[in-house]
Structures are given as structure tokens and as C-alpha cells.
Amino acid sequence: MSYDNNNIFAKILRNEIPCEKIYEDEYVLSFYDVNPQKKIHALVIPKGKYVNLDDFTSKATSDEIVGLIKGINIIAKKLNISSDIGKGYRTIANVSEHGGQEVPHLHFHIFGGEKVGKIVE
Ligand code: DGP
């Protein structure tokens, strides 16, 4: 699985394109989706070059995997939608063609701030 260094999220990671940043650490960057589908629509991406969840799962280090999963929780807390301080959220990762993935850098969507609705159309 080859990684396209010119995908839009790679450019955001290199600061070549701006984003509305929510959180950043050693493992993840999180920013608001440019085309929000819910009141809150954030994206969380690993800093490493991974095309999708399968690529990540097979190649990422344990620290990167833990960093990404923990990152989702940190960001949900920051947005006040985690289940301990808020009303919850949905996180999804679209994978490749049938999953409807448009940007070929692994990303989790975080939807919240209102009832998210049915899981699939
Ligand atoms: P997906 O279909 O899962 O690959 O979702 C890609 C998402 O990325 C989509 O909801 C729109 C968002 N997106 C695309 N380009 C940009 C961008 O330049 N900036 C931001 N913030 N989001 C983007």
C-alpha cells in the first residue's frame, strides 16, 4: 500500500495548508472537518504516514496505536463530548473504496454535539 505524500492531510501535517487545530501531540493531530456533518465534526489523524486503518494496524508501532486511540479520548474530553463529562459521540474510520474514504491518510471522524443518528445510510 503506497502512501501519497501529496494528499491533503499530509500537507496539513507539513503546515503547507492551514487547519483549525483542536489538539496535537507526538502521535496525533486533530482539527475540525472543513465540511461538518454534525454540530461537532472533528478529525483525528496519526502523524505517521498510513493510508488507512489496515495499513496502520499492520505497520504502526504499539506506541503509535496506543497514541492514536488515547488521542481520540483526549480530543473527546477537550470537546466536552466524552461519555464521562458529556453526552457521547461517534467515531468512525472510512477504509478504502467501499468504506467511502476520500483522503488517503488514516483519519477518524468524531461526530457529536447532537444525536448522531443511524450508523449507515
Ligand atoms: P473521508 O471520506 O473519510 O476520507 O473524509 C475526508 C474528510 O476530510 C471529509 O469529511 C472532508 C475533510 N476534508 C477534506 N479536505 C479537507 C481540508 O483541506 N481541511 C479539512 N479540515 N478537512 C478536509
Side-chain angles (χ1 to χ4, degrees), residues 3-74:
Y3 181 83
D4 172 12
N5 276 307
N6 286 320
N7 79 74
I8 203 93
F9 294 168
K11 290 180 180 175
I12 287 175
L13 278 169
R14 292 195 297 267
N15 289 314
E16 292 169 11
I17 288 179
C19 69
E20 201 181 334
K21 194 190 290 186
I22 299 166
Y23 176 77
E24 181 172 15
D25 66 21
E26 183 183 349
Y27 299 108
V28 299
L29 174 66
S30 176
F31 47 92
Y32 288 103
D33 195 290
V34 78
N35 182 23
Q37 303 297 310
K38 292 291 162 193
K39 272 190 188 158
I40 295 175
H41 185 173
L43 297 169
V44 186
I45 69 175
K47 289 208 164 162
K49 297 177 179 182
Y50 300 105
V51 176
N52 61 33
L53 190 58
D54 293 332
D55 191 32
F56 184 72
T57 306
S58 60
K59 294 183 194 153
T61 65
S62 299
D63 283 352
E64 286 178 307
I65 293 170
V66 170
L68 178 57
I69 298 297
K70 282 190 179 284
I72 291 171
N73 175 250
I74 292 167

